[in-house]
Amino acid sequence: MTILDYVENEDLWIKKAADLDSNGITSTYWPEVLSVIGYLEYKENYESCQQLWQYYTDISGDKESN
């Protein structure tokens, strides 16, 4: 992902983040969870970023990925 992708498609990223927040692993956007975490970090939404990262690591057991 690039910053340009985040800027050009911001509405979609907001939708993805909201869907992941609501539906977790059952979200249709779950395969993109790391990209959504990157988007939240880019937007300096660190609380949501940390919450989603914690959920991701709890589910996947992946503590090292970034």
Side-chain angles (χ1 to χ4, degrees):
M1 273 321 111
T2 66
I3 292 175
L4 185 58
D5 184 52
Y6 293 150
V7 171
E8 290 179 345
N9 301 299
E10 187 158 16
D11 290 340
L12 180 58
W13 287 105
I14 291 168
K15 178 182 174 181
K16 289 177 182 184
D19 193 74
L20 281 164
D21 186 49
S22 296
N23 300 309
I25 197 167
T26 62
S27 169
T28 57
Y29 301 109
W30 182 254
E32 299 177 68
V33 67
L34 294 176
S35 295
V36 173
I37 290 169
Y39 167 74
L40 292 169
E41 184 176 27
Y42 162 73
K43 293 302 287 186
E44 297 180 1
N45 187 341
Y46 299 121
E47 184 177 340
S48 294
C49 179
Q50 180 59 38
Q51 288 172 349
L52 189 53
W53 174 253
Q54 185 62 51
Y55 181 72
Y56 168 76
T57 57
D58 289 347
I59 295 299
S60 70
D62 184 1
K63 305 274 187 211
E64 298 297 320
S65 184
N66 261 342

